[in-house]
């Protein structure tokens, strides 16, 4: 058993608490990882808020991490002690019907136990002050050591800087893949990206790499425009600058609508606007943002009858074990940006400040 520091969420709506936790050794087909760096994501904040119906407490949150394998359980063959890895919240077992289908990346092998905050055998590897602590998204990267299923880990280039590539565990991969894999953006096309946070910037990067000729960034926070343009946005607009609905503004700006739109916020009203900003006949809108539980999307069916397509994406459509190492290689060879997504680097015990920075749009 390893004793180490972790940021524990004891209950919903309260700040994280830095505690000493015990991390049990990995069982069969499990891997214990020394986490070197982790990022914060809105999904962590959503669960911490108490709005997540799958949220269980007390829990160690975090799902954008990178580290070194400390030890492996029985039967683990893909990684060994000392390997550099990224934990994966969407695993890839290679055996379930989802993994065998090239149309999806949504491996279901451990979905039920992962959603309940436990390891595949139904138990937790974390304890603190004598209490069992739940796992989160199968990763729990807000701990100096964590235990994950062996299908939830990608071995990456040992030379990669872990304080950067941890971001490939969720946000960057999600946005980039939404453009490349889900939308399959074509050269010369016009794109609209709603929400210019980390995921939105990654979508912009993907659209640019795919050869889009016009990329319109949309956000009410104008402080984000300069960064969006750095990533490839050709122009940025705010819905608050016009009396007309934003979809009408975009349809006018683009002679009938955009070829591709992306919703990167998780707001069902914006999802509708993103679809309706698409061009009749061929426009495609991808939902990337995760809306709160129980919310529903709506539009007039005529929008779809007249040739628009509505799609969703999770983790950018990447088959995780196969593709995360390739994304790290693309970063190392400077095909994709990662460093530019890092705005602040804080010591682990300032993790609550990181959440404050995120909520304030900084």
């Amino acid at each position: 058993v390893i004793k180490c520091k972790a940021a524990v969420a004891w209950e919903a709506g309260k700040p994280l608490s830095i505690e000493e936790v015990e991390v049990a050794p990995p069982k069969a087909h499990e891997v214990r990882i020394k986490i070197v760096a982790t990022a914060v994501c809105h999904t962590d904040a959503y669960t911490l808020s108490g709005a997540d119906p799958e949220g269980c407490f007390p829990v160690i949150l975090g799902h954008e991490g990178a580290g070194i394998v400390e030890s492996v359980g029985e039967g683990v063959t893909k990684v060994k002690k000392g390997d550099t890895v990224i934990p994966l919240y969407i695993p890839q077992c290679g055996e379930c019907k989802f993994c065998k289908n090239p149309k999806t990346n949504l491996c279901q092998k451990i979905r039920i136990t992962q959603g309940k905050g436990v390891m595949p055998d139904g138990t937790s590897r974390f304890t603190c002050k004598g209490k069992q602590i739940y796992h989160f998204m199968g990763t729990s990267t807000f701990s100096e050591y964590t235990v994950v299923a062996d299908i939830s880990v990608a071995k990456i280039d040992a030379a990669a800087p872990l304080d950067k590539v941890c971001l490939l565990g969720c946000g960057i991969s999600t946005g980039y893949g939404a453009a490349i894999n889900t939308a399959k953006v074509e050269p010369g096309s016009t794109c609209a990206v709603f929400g210019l946070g980390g995921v939105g910037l990654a979508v912009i990067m993907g659209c640019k790499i795919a050869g889009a000729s016009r990329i319109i960034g949309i956000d009410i926070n104008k402080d984000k425009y300069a960064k969006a343009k750095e990533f490839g946005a050709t122009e940025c607009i705010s819905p608050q600058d016009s009396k007309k609905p934003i979809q009408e503004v975009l349809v006018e700006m683009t002679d009938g609508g955009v070829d591709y739109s992306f919703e990167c916020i998780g707001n069902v009203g914006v999802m509708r606007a993103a679809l309706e900003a698409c061009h009749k006949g061929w426009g495609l809108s991808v939902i990337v943002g995760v809306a709160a539980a129980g919310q529903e999307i709506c539009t007039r069916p005529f929008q779809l009858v007249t040739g628009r397509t509505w799609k969703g994406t999770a983790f950018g459509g990447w088959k995780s074990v196969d593709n995360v190492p390739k994304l790290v290689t693309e970063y190392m060879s400077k095909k994709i940006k990662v460093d530019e997504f890092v705005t602040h680097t804080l010591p682990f015990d300032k993790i609550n400040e990181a959440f404050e920075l995120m909520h304030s749009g900084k």
Side-chain angles (χ1 to χ4, degrees):
V1 175
I2 288 177
K3 289 187 176 178
C4 67
K5 279 195 303 188
V8 177
W10 289 107
E11 55 184 301
K14 296 278 168 71
L16 301 177
S17 173
I18 301 289
E19 305 280 1
E20 183 179 82
V21 298
E22 293 88 43
V23 185
K27 295 189 182 178
H29 294 288
E30 295 177 1
V31 179
R32 187 159 61 180
I33 303 168
K34 178 182 173 84
I35 297 289
V36 175
T38 185
V40 295
C41 170
H42 278 281
T43 311
D44 303 306
Y46 170 61
T47 299
L48 185 60
S49 75
D52 180 357
E54 269 199 349
C56 359
F57 296 89
V59 64
I60 295 172
L61 299 171
H63 64 283
E64 282 188 337
I68 311 290
V69 174
E70 178 274 332
S71 59
V72 298
E74 196 188 325
V76 175
T77 56
K78 299 239 172 103
V79 294
K80 62 184 187 304
K81 180 176 175 165
D83 282 350
T84 305
V85 292
I86 289 177
L88 307 166
Y89 70 90
I90 293 183
Q92 186 186 351
C93 72
E95 293 163 2
C96 69
K97 68 178 180 182
F98 288 81
C99 280
K100 286 180 171 169
N101 191 321
K103 294 178 180 174
T104 185
N105 63 329
L106 296 174
C107 172
Q108 295 296 291
K109 181 87 178 262
I110 60 172
R111 178 72 197 93
I112 290 165
T113 49
Q114 181 172 315
K116 289 178 178 164
V118 289
M119 294 300 289
D121 73 346
T123 63
S124 167
R125 301 291 162 268
F126 297 119
T127 47
C128 181
K129 298 177 180 170
K131 288 198 178 89
Q132 171 183 287
I133 309 291
Y134 287 108
H135 294 250
F136 177 68
M137 288 175 77
T139 53
S140 289
T141 59
F142 293 173
S143 175
E144 292 179 323
Y145 286 85
T146 190
V147 178
V148 304
D150 63 353
I151 58 170
S152 303
V153 63
K155 181 183 170 180
I156 62 162
D157 183 343
L162 300 187
D163 60 331
K164 306 293 193 293
V165 295
C166 61
L167 292 170
L168 292 169
C170 178
I172 299 178
S173 305
T174 297
Y176 178 49
I180 300 289
N181 300 327
T182 311
K184 295 183 168 65
V185 171
E186 294 163 321
S189 55
T190 298
C191 303
V193 180
F194 292 78
L196 302 176
V199 174
L201 293 176
V203 171
I204 289 172
M205 176 174 78
C207 292
K208 186 181 178 184
I209 289 170
S213 60
R214 193 172 179 192
I215 304 168
I216 305 163
I218 300 125
D219 203 300
I220 55 176
N221 181 351
K222 294 187 177 179
D223 294 341
K224 298 195 169 187
Y225 293 179
K227 194 65 137 171
K229 287 178 180 167
E230 236 176 85
F231 276 86
T234 51
E235 62 224 278
C236 294
I237 57 173
S238 167
Q240 295 175 337
D241 286 351
S242 172
K243 291 198 172 81
K244 290 179 184 166
I246 188 68
Q247 52 267 55
E248 284 181 29
V249 174
L250 285 160
V251 166
E252 282 175 19
M253 278 173 69
T254 55
D255 184 28
V258 298
D259 302 310
Y260 302 96
S261 71
F262 301 85
E263 198 279 354
C264 307
I265 301 159
N267 177 313
V268 292
V270 178
M271 290 173 190
R272 177 175 190 161
L275 176 79
E276 295 178 359
C278 283
H279 203 288
K280 185 189 282 190
W282 64 78
L284 184 144
S285 186
V286 180
I287 294 174
V288 193
V290 179
Q295 296 198 328
E296 297 182 353
I297 48 173
C298 67
T299 188
R300 292 193 175 144
F302 196 66
Q303 291 284 333
L304 301 172
V305 171
T306 51
R308 294 170 193 82
T309 305
W310 223 343
K311 290 183 89 169
T313 188
F315 196 56
W318 301 108
K319 298 257 189 195
S320 58
V321 173
D322 291 345
N323 286 295
V324 167
K326 292 176 185 169
L327 290 166
V328 171
T329 302
E330 286 194 1
Y331 157 64
M332 299 291 276
S333 63
K334 298 197 161 49
K335 185 187 170 186
I336 61 172
K337 295 179 197 283
V338 174
D339 298 9
E340 294 81 354
F341 285 88
V342 179
T343 57
H344 299 76
T345 303
L346 300 167
F348 185 37
D349 54 15
K350 298 266 177 76
I351 190 162
N352 288 306
E353 283 183 33
F355 278 93
E356 286 162 22
L357 287 162
M358 183 170 68
H359 287 306
S360 65
K362 292 178 179 163

